[in-house]
């Protein structure tokens, strides 16, 4: 579970040489809404006075804010709808999207489950089957829960015996969920619903009687994800099945630390509860409770503290008796596995099970087949999957993969089989199965997905390493048709994220496919600093006072593509979401000359005030906070809202920019986008700016998680239409 700001991955490709239609729009002139400027709002940051004339846009419920949103949509919608190839784009996206998507099957109790989407269903459907080759039956279909697909499954856990299913539902893309409990055999829900749940870990006691989960107290006003109130005072609770939530007991709380979030997991053996508080987006403390001493779980659990300082990540993997295995980056920026004896947990007694690899990042580990560990490494941004010996950590075998990503895995310590899901730029999905009862442990293809009308042989994906401003070598994937002419004439879509230790690994994307096939584009994904592609060092090199490196790496990616004649500035679109929205917005302020268009999705754009809303305070670990004068000075240098420059001539004109947000985004609240677009439109009034600067504000949608397919296709159609119009691209049928 992460409360962090992450990108919605958009996404890939085909071809043909048919008649092309020119889609160059008439040069529209824009009458941007005149947003009221309140020059009286001035904050004093450590002696520096900063105006915030659009403070009023921070109130999502005021009529004035609603009117502003309406006025913005009123100029954006006609621009997007005027795209002469809108229906071509939409039809092609819809056609390519319509292929079946599957998750790995997983066994719970004596049944198998898997998620499937037939192609265009708004939400994935959970199926059950009695055996791997048995007839699948629908177990839970979220599509039946709302007319428009805006209710989504968000988190779920089966009991150990597979008899009960706890599942979270979120509405309109909000982070808030309600937890429901289902009797697996009958398919009937228990009467109780658990409310006020957000950023929740869920873990069942191994006697199958109750659920540990984290929740927030009642808050005043709305709690539907359209509010901006800070999330505080999370508690870890225990819910006994088939009782009302009002009878739940608080088992762990830290009343003096209102901003902590409390993760918890019952160990594989059922004896211990591992408790891991976190205050931002890295580093956690570690405690445990011995449940065997408190089988009734009737109140606060006595905790033994293992880790006392926020200085590293610790993630429970499994345990053998009192010896628990954790994945950590303590003294190991690329992560290692350690053993902690809970009977003797002092740090000097910890042992290393799998040492840190000098270059590959140990991304996750999972115990399987009783005595083995599956280890997922990230090696130069590509997945490596291995089987190791659980008792001594030694490598047993590699599970060979092509260049790409493991995007799904299922397997448990007590089960003798695993499944893993592979994906890449040109591979929509292959699910492999390893049966450990058979030797050798050969992976077999369990299921392979095909996309109608997509011929991977016409495309190529490669990885290059380019030099950033300070000489750092940065990896970048470049995907395009094989016959791409390197004459600078191709439209390019550069997608980046650069934060929060997150890896942007290869994935399959129908939207990028349309861009490559029909707009003759090249897609580039630079794995810039701030991400976790090379472990904690890569992350540290792009956070706090090093954040400018992230932007420099991104600009250098564009310069590399120009230099190598893939494209030219006026044909470059940059795109990013969330922390990636910050990236794109900072880059258009810093180098407007380098890009033709920019897509800023659900971005963090007011760097002086982000920590004041919902879960924003958790991002201080990546950004720092304006409450600290050193960080204030640093944030002020790149904060997109505070670095807008009216263009003095055509060269410094902003790229055509589309800012996207939605009314139920309670991760990165919409006020960031609203204040930014108001300031941007104000700054260019009467200037040399000709290219459009627009905002698209969606309704009944959030940060991206759980978005129904219909809304995703609409949004991607609009993004491709915006790029097509703004860059005067031709749609090749
Ligand atoms: C739109 O304006 C640009 C720059 O002013 C110009 O180069 C272009 O020819 C115009 N396009 C049309 C279709 O009028
Ligand atoms: C906001 O608009 C609604 C509907 O137009 C109106 O009834 C209400 O009085 C307005 N509220 C304020 C504070 O102006
Ligand atoms: C793990 O190593 C131990 C000790 O060398 C050995 O006895 C055991 O058979 C190994 N297990 C596996 C699954 O290879
Ligand atoms: C402000 O941040 C700097 C740089 O991270 C740090 O050294 C300093 O201790 C912080 N100051 C306060 C008052 O927290």
């Amino acid at each position: 579970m992460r409360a962090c700001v992450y990108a919605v991955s958009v996404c890939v490709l085909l071809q043909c040489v048919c008649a092309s239609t020119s889609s160059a729009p008439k040069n529209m002139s824009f009458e941007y809404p005149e947003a009221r400027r309140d020059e009286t709002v001035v904050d004093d940051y450590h002696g520096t006075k900063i105006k915030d004339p659009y403070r009023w846009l921070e109130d999502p419920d005021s009529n004035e804010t609603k009117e502003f949103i309406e006025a913005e949509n009123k100029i954006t919608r006609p621009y997007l709808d005027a795209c002469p190839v809108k229906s071509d784009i939409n039809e092609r996206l819809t056609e390519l999207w319509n292929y079946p998507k599957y998750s790995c099957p997983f066994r719970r109790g004596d049944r198998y489950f898997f998620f499937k989407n037939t192609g265009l269903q708004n939400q994935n459907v959970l199926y059950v089957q009695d055996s791997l080759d048995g007839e699948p039956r629908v177990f839970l279909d979220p599509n039946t829960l709302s007319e428009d697909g805006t209710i989504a499954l968000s988190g779920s856990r089966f009991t150990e015996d597979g008899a009960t299913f706890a599942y979270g539902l979120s509405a309109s893309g909000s982070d808030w969920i309600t937890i429901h409990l289902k009797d697996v055999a009958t398919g009937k829900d228990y009467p109780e619903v658990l409310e006020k749940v957000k950023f929740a870990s869920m873990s069942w006691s191994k006697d199958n009687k109750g659920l540990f989960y984290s929740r927030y107290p009642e808050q005043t006003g709305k709690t539907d994800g359209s509010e901006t109130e800070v999330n505080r005072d999370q508690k870890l609770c225990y819910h006994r099945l088939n009782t009302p939530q009002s009878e739940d007991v608080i088992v762990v709380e830290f009343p003096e630390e209102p901003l902590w979030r409390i993760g918890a997991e019952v160990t594989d053996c059922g004896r211990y509860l591992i408790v891991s508080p976190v205050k931002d987006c890295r580093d956690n403390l570690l405690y445990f409770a011995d449940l065997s001493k408190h089988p009734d779980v009737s109140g606060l659990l006595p905790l033994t503290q293992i880790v006392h300082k926020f200085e590293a990540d610790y993630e429970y993997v499994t345990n053998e008796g009192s010896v628990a295995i954790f994945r950590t980056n303590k003294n190991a920026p690329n992560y290692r596995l350690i053993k902690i004896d809970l009977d003797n947990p002092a740090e000097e007694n910890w042992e290393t099970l799998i040492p840190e690899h000098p270059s590959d990042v140990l991304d996750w580990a999972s115990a399987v087949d009783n005595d083995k560990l599956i280890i997922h490494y990230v090696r130069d941004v590509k997945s490596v999957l291995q089987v190791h010996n659980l008792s001594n950590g030694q490598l047993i075998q590699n599970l060979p993969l092509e260049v790409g990503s493991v995007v799904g895995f299922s397997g448990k310590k007590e089960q003798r089989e695993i499944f893993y899901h592979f994906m890449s730029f040109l591979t929509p999905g292959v699910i492999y199965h390893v049966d450990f009862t058979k030797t050798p442990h050969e992976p077999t293809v369990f299921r392979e997905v095909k996309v109608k009308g997509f011929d991977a042989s016409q495309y190529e994906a490669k990885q290059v390493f380019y030099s950033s401003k300070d000489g750092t070598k940065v990896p970048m994937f470049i995907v395009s048709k094989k016959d791409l002419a390197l004459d600078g004439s191709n439209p390019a879509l550069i997608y980046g994220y650069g934060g929060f230790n997150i890896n942007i690994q290869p994935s399959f994307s129908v939207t990028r496919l349309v861009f490559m096939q029909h707009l003759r584009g090249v897609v580039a994904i630079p794995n810039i600093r701030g991400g976790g592609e090379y472990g904690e060092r890569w992350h540290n090199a792009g956070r706090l006072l090093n954040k400018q490196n992230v932007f420099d790496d991104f600009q250098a990616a564009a310069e590399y593509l120009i230099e190598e004649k893939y494209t030219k500035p006026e044909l470059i679109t940059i795109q990013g979401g969330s922390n990636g929205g910050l990236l794109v917005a900072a880059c258009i302020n810093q180098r407007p000359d380098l890009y033709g268009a920019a897509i800023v999705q659900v971005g963090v754009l007011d760097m002086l005030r982000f920590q004041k809303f919902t879960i924003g305070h958790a991002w201080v670990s990546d950004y720092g906070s304006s409450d600290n004068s050193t960080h204030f000075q640093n944030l002020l240098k790149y904060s997109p809202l505070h670095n807008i420059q009216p263009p003095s001539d055509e060269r410094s004109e902003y790229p055509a920019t589309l800012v996207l947000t939605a009314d139920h985004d309670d991760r990165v609240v919409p006020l960031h986008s609203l204040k930014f677009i108001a300031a941007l439109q104000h700054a260019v009034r009467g200037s040399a700016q000709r290219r459009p600067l627009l905002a698209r504000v969606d309704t009944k949608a959030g940060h991206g998680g759980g978005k129904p397919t219909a809304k995703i296709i609409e949004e991607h159609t609009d993004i491709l239409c915006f790029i097509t119009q703004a860059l005067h691209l031709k749609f090749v049928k």
Side-chain angles (χ1 to χ4, degrees):
M1 175 260 7
R2 298 195 197 229
C4 302
V5 229
Y6 38 1
V8 193
S9 149
V10 256
C11 293
V12 192
L13 10 183
L14 273 187
Q15 80 117 165
C16 92
V17 198
C18 321
S20 59
T21 6
S22 167
S23 61
K26 289 177 221 79
N27 275 350
M28 289 187 162
S29 75
F30 293 93
E31 293 280 336
Y32 296 122
E34 296 267 3
R36 175 171 66 88
R37 284 177 69 82
D38 182 349
E39 308 287 346
T40 67
V41 183
V42 182
D43 295 306
D44 186 329
Y45 293 93
H46 318 280
T48 305
K49 301 252 193 317
I50 306 283
K51 283 188 179 180
D52 193 11
Y54 303 112
R55 178 69 53 85
W56 58 271
L57 279 169
E58 290 183 359
D59 178 359
D61 301 316
S62 77
N63 284 352
E64 204 178 9
T65 301
K66 289 176 184 160
E67 282 157 16
F68 176 74
I69 292 172
E70 201 179 305
E72 288 294 330
N73 279 331
K74 232 179 196 157
I75 56 167
T76 306
R77 202 66 262 164
Y79 180 79
L80 297 173
D81 290 343
C83 173
V85 293
K86 185 174 179 196
S87 61
D88 294 293
I89 290 173
N90 186 260
E91 278 163 26
R92 192 62 182 135
L93 266 179
T94 307
E95 190 178 10
L96 282 167
W97 213 287
N98 193 8
Y99 68 94
K101 299 155 192 84
Y102 295 88
S103 76
C104 291
F106 52 98
R107 189 156 63 80
R108 293 295 179 266
D110 48 14
R111 303 175 179 90
Y112 283 90
F113 296 84
F114 65 92
F115 287 95
K116 178 184 176 184
N117 191 311
T118 52
L120 295 172
Q121 284 177 293
N122 276 323
Q123 302 291 341
N124 302 340
V125 178
L126 183 56
Y127 288 84
V128 58
Q129 54 190 161
D130 298 325
S131 65
L132 263 191
D133 47 15
E135 193 60 36
R137 308 179 296 275
V138 171
F139 177 68
L140 177 65
D141 182 359
N143 297 296
T144 62
L145 302 176
S146 68
E147 285 284 309
D148 54 5
T150 53
I151 294 184
L153 188 60
S154 173
S156 62
R157 281 287 188 113
F158 282 88
T159 48
E160 191 66 17
D161 62 3
T164 315
F165 179 58
Y167 62 102
L169 293 179
S170 112
S172 299
S174 167
D175 279 330
W176 289 111
I177 62 169
T178 51
I179 299 178
H180 303 251
L181 301 134
K182 193 182 278 303
D183 180 322
V184 174
T186 64
K188 286 217 171 72
D189 275 0
Y190 285 89
E192 71 266 28
V193 175
L194 314 184
E195 315 250 8
K196 301 286 180 287
V197 183
K198 199 189 233 200
F199 314 129
S201 55
M202 287 188 227
S203 192
W204 285 97
S205 56
K206 297 285 159 157
D207 61 7
N208 309 304
K209 287 183 180 156
L211 182 75
F212 294 96
Y213 72 103
S214 23
R215 61 159 289 181
Y216 286 93
E218 297 294 330
Q219 67 181 41
T220 50
K222 296 180 301 178
T223 28
D224 64 357
S226 66
E227 80 287 349
T228 63
E229 193 169 329
V230 173
N231 302 127
R232 56 167 74 235
D233 298 314
Q234 197 186 54
K235 314 275 182 200
L236 187 71
C237 296
Y238 181 72
H239 172 75
R240 204 173 300 278
L241 184 61
N242 209 12
T243 64
Q245 188 182 23
S246 56
E247 289 174 19
D248 290 0
V249 289
I250 293 174
V251 291
V252 178
E253 62 176 352
F254 300 94
E256 66 292 359
E257 298 292 350
L259 300 184
W260 289 9
R261 306 186 304 285
I262 310 172
E265 188 163 357
V266 177
T267 52
D268 291 345
C269 62
R271 177 167 171 187
Y272 306 100
L273 181 71
I274 305 285
V275 177
S276 45
V278 57
K279 69 175 153 75
D280 35 42
C281 286
R282 51 174 284 149
D283 304 339
N284 55 280
L285 304 182
L286 212 49
Y287 297 81
F288 72 93
D290 187 342
L291 295 176
S292 69
K293 294 187 177 142
H294 307 275
D296 300 338
V297 201
S298 52
L300 287 176
L301 291 168
L303 298 176
T304 305
Q305 187 161 14
I306 308 174
V307 172
H308 298 259
K309 263 201 269 180
F310 286 105
E311 57 175 9
D313 299 334
Y314 298 88
E315 201 176 271
Y316 168 79
V317 178
T318 187
N319 64 306
E320 302 268 273
S322 67
V323 178
I325 298 174
F326 290 88
R327 170 183 171 267
T328 185
N329 56 355
K330 177 73 193 281
N331 299 332
N334 289 340
Y335 293 86
R336 60 178 174 145
L337 296 191
I338 57 170
K339 294 204 238 186
I340 300 178
D341 186 345
L342 302 181
D343 288 339
N344 205 358
E347 187 171 343
E348 59 267 27
N349 303 320
W350 298 358
E351 285 174 28
T352 296
L353 177 62
I354 299 188
E356 180 194 21
H357 190 280
S359 54
D360 301 351
V361 179
L362 200 165
D363 185 48
W364 55 257
S366 181
V368 299
D369 193 26
N370 188 49
D371 58 4
K372 301 181 183 66
L373 284 167
I374 302 296
I375 308 284
H376 180 248
Y377 283 105
V378 174
R379 175 181 296 164
D380 280 327
V381 203
K382 295 154 291 206
S383 285
V384 171
L385 206 59
Q386 297 179 338
V387 186
H388 286 246
N389 185 322
L390 175 62
S391 67
N392 59 21
Q394 276 168 9
L395 174 68
I396 298 175
Q397 73 179 105
N398 269 297
L399 297 170
L401 293 173
E402 288 174 43
V403 171
S405 317
V406 171
V407 296
F409 171 81
S410 72
K412 293 188 109 198
K413 194 174 187 179
E414 69 278 11
Q415 295 175 358
R416 308 218 56 197
E417 64 184 343
I418 60 167
F419 295 86
Y420 53 94
H421 189 178
F422 175 83
M423 186 184 269
S424 194
F425 293 113
L426 306 176
T427 308
V430 187
I431 292 172
Y432 293 94
H433 182 209
V434 181
D435 182 346
F436 286 105
T437 63
K438 300 199 179 111
T439 37
H441 310 318
E442 280 295 318
T444 56
V445 173
F446 175 75
R447 188 168 259 152
E448 180 162 9
V449 157
K450 294 267 182 256
V451 176
K452 230 183 336 173
F454 164 58
D455 175 6
S457 72
Q458 297 182 355
Y459 296 87
E460 64 183 343
K462 61 181 170 188
Q463 189 180 37
V464 299
F465 291 81
Y466 66 92
S467 292
S468 188
K469 190 174 177 181
D470 62 0
T472 300
K473 289 284 175 204
V474 180
M476 171 159 63
F477 290 107
I478 300 179
V479 194
S480 71
K481 283 192 46 210
K482 278 182 179 162
D483 57 2
L484 194 80
L486 292 181
D487 59 0
S489 69
N490 310 294
L493 181 62
I494 314 180
Y495 172 85
Y497 185 75
F500 295 92
N501 205 15
I502 285 171
N503 304 329
I504 306 297
Q505 285 197 260
S507 65
F508 185 79
S509 151
V510 159
T511 307
R512 291 181 187 156
L513 187 55
V514 170
F515 181 74
M516 289 188 273
Q517 183 186 5
H518 296 286
L519 301 175
R520 300 193 212 180
V522 50
V523 170
I525 300 168
N527 295 98
I528 56 184
R529 284 175 282 184
E533 287 87 344
Y534 294 99
E536 197 47 38
R537 289 187 197 90
W538 202 245
H539 180 204
N540 287 341
R543 69 184 182 102
L544 301 178
L545 304 180
N546 294 328
K547 186 71 182 174
Q548 182 58 37
N549 286 336
V550 177
F551 313 134
D552 289 345
D553 288 357
F554 205 55
Q555 330 274 26
E559 284 168 336
Y560 173 89
L561 294 170
I562 295 162
E563 180 79 23
E564 296 294 319
K565 299 223 166 357
Y566 282 94
T567 186
K568 54 185 171 185
E570 55 270 39
L571 289 176
I572 294 179
T573 300
I574 51 175
Q575 179 180 20
S578 201
N579 171 68
L582 157 62
L583 165 73
V584 170
C587 285
I588 61 173
N589 280 332
Q590 295 183 2
R591 288 296 308 275
D593 59 301
L594 201 50
Y595 316 108
I599 311 294
V600 182
Q601 292 172 271
V602 293
V604 186
L605 307 174
D606 182 348
M607 300 313 291
L608 300 186
R609 287 178 57 81
F610 71 86
Q611 74 278 16
K612 297 183 185 299
F613 311 102
T614 63
I615 198 63
H617 55 82
W619 317 329
V620 167
S621 52
D622 249 60
Y623 301 143
S625 156
S626 59
D627 300 339
N628 173 305
S629 70
T630 309
H631 290 292
F632 161 70
Q633 294 299 342
N634 183 55
L635 290 163
L636 188 60
K637 274 190 236 156
Y638 71 81
S639 175
L641 180 63
H642 302 93
N643 286 278
I644 295 170
Q645 299 291 334
S648 48
D649 55 29
E650 263 180 38
R651 253 188 70 78
S652 58
E653 193 190 355
Y654 273 95
T657 298
L658 183 64
V659 175
L660 296 95
T661 184
D663 61 350
H664 286 71
D665 188 347
D666 47 359
R667 188 76 58 86
V668 179
V669 287
L671 63 91
H672 287 272
S673 299
L674 302 180
K675 288 168 76 174
F676 180 69
I677 196 71
L680 195 57
Q681 291 172 344
H682 170 75
V684 302
R685 202 159 279 131
S687 77
Q689 181 74 29
R690 290 293 166 271
R691 302 192 277 203
L693 306 169
L694 300 174
R696 177 190 191 272
V697 185
D698 201 359
T699 49
K700 288 191 82 179
H703 197 58
K707 194 171 281 189
T709 301
K711 269 187 176 293
I712 299 175
I713 293 179
E714 267 173 35
E715 179 177 329
H716 292 200
T717 299
D718 283 348
I719 290 171
L720 289 178
C721 280
F722 183 78
I723 298 173
T724 305
Q725 301 233 89
L727 304 187
H728 310 286
L729 303 184
K730 285 181 176 153
F731 184 91
V732 186
K733 294 226 178 165

